Every structure is written in C-alpha cells, then in structure tokens.
Amino acid sequence: MSDTYDDQNIFAKILRGEIPSFKVYEDDDTLCFMDIMPRTEGHCLVIPKTPCRNILDATPEQLAACMKTVNTVANAAKRAFDADGITLFQFNEGAGGQEVFHLHFHIHPRHDGVAIRPPGKMGDMDQIKANAAKIVAELPA
Ligand code: AMP
C-alpha cells in the first residue's frame, strides 16, 4: 500500500466534476457534500480542494480551512435537523478506518438516544438530496 496521494480517489473525481455529488457548501479552499452511505440523517463530508491524503500529510492551512467549513456546516446541520449535538469523525489510513484517501471530516447531526447507524449501506438518493437542501437552507447568507 502506498502512502502517497492518488489523484484517482473518488473525492478527487468529485472535485474535478467527473462524478456527481450533492453539494452543501463550497468556498475557495473547501467543499462539503453529502455522504451517499449516510450513517445519520444529514451525514456530510468536508474536504480540502487541494490534495492531501489525511491528517498525517495535511498542512496547517488545509486543516484550518476544513475546520472553518466544519464549524459553518455543523451549525447549519444542527439547525436543519433540530439536532441535540454533532459528532465529527475523521479516519486515517486503513488501520484507522479510512477508505477514501483524500482528507475528509464526517459531520453527523445527533439526537439524544439515537445511535449512529453501521457503515456501508447506500442511502436513498432523493432523501439525501432533500437533506442537502435542508442544510443549505440553514447556511449563513
Ligand atoms: P472513510 O474513508 O472511512 O472516512 O469513509 C469514506 C466515506 O465516503 C464513507 O462514509 C462513504 O460512504 C463515503 N463515500 C464513498 N463514495 C462516496 C461518494 N461517491 N459520494 C459521497 N460519499 C461517498
């Protein structure tokens, strides 16, 4: 296994517009889009627009840009789903649970007493699209 950045990873393809995504938020340095195998209602992902594999090779600038977007989207998602809290997941290398090797942060709106679902189950695309719109509607103007 290589620990260098592979520009054929699925998120690099999303960034280049080669495959579709349900966009939630974008600025000069980051993109946020819905996870297509959502483990919570409103599960979305924040990525830097520039290449890096994960937290281990990210620059301070990439991390700062991602955290700014996480803050913005997490607040919008909390409002959109009337959530009680937010869980942030971030995995590094296979042993750390990473499957897509472009740095990303998972944002999960959480409700008291409701468990995060297991990974790996494809979501309903209409529902995911509707959930994206709910978050977008709560972003700051
Ligand atoms: P991980 O690398 O383990 O942090 O997880 C990668 C995440 O990417 C998983 O939650 C997948 O459901 C998600 N994922 C994989 N392919 C796509 C895609 N084309 N669009 C959106 N999310 C995806």
Side-chain angles (χ1 to χ4, degrees):
M1 195 199 75
S2 162
D3 60 359
T4 57
Y5 184 80
D6 173 8
D7 70 2
Q8 294 307 307
N9 76 75
I10 201 117
F11 295 168
K13 291 181 180 179
I14 287 175
L15 281 168
R16 291 194 295 266
E18 293 169 9
I19 62 166
S21 66
F22 296 108
K23 185 168 88 172
V24 170
Y25 176 85
E26 180 175 20
D27 62 18
D28 287 348
D29 302 311
T30 65
L31 176 68
C32 177
F33 54 95
M34 302 306 285
D35 196 303
I36 56 170
M37 293 183 245
R39 298 181 63 188
T40 53
E41 289 306 298
H43 180 184
C44 58
L45 303 167
V46 173
I47 67 173
K49 287 186 172 176
T50 49
C52 70
R53 193 172 157 88
N54 54 40
I55 206 102
L56 300 169
D57 63 338
T59 66
E61 291 75 21
Q62 287 171 315
L63 294 172
C66 285
M67 283 301 104
K68 184 165 174 278
T69 296
V70 165
N71 175 254
T72 299
V73 175
N75 278 293
K78 186 171 181 292
R79 287 190 292 272
F81 295 94
D82 197 21
D84 300 307
I86 295 287
T87 297
L88 194 61
F89 279 167
Q90 196 281 314
F91 305 115
N92 301 283
E93 298 302 330
Q98 186 175 15
E99 294 183 348
V100 177
F101 295 95
H102 181 110
L103 174 66
H104 53 280
F105 295 85
H106 298 254
I107 294 175
H108 290 286
R110 301 297 305 277
H111 295 89
D112 289 334
V114 179
I116 289 192
R117 298 189 290 261
K121 187 168 183 288
M122 196 60 81
D124 176 278
M125 292 302 142
D126 291 339
Q127 185 66 49
I128 292 172
K129 185 178 180 185
N131 285 347
K134 279 189 191 179
I135 302 173
V136 169
E138 294 293 340
L139 287 169

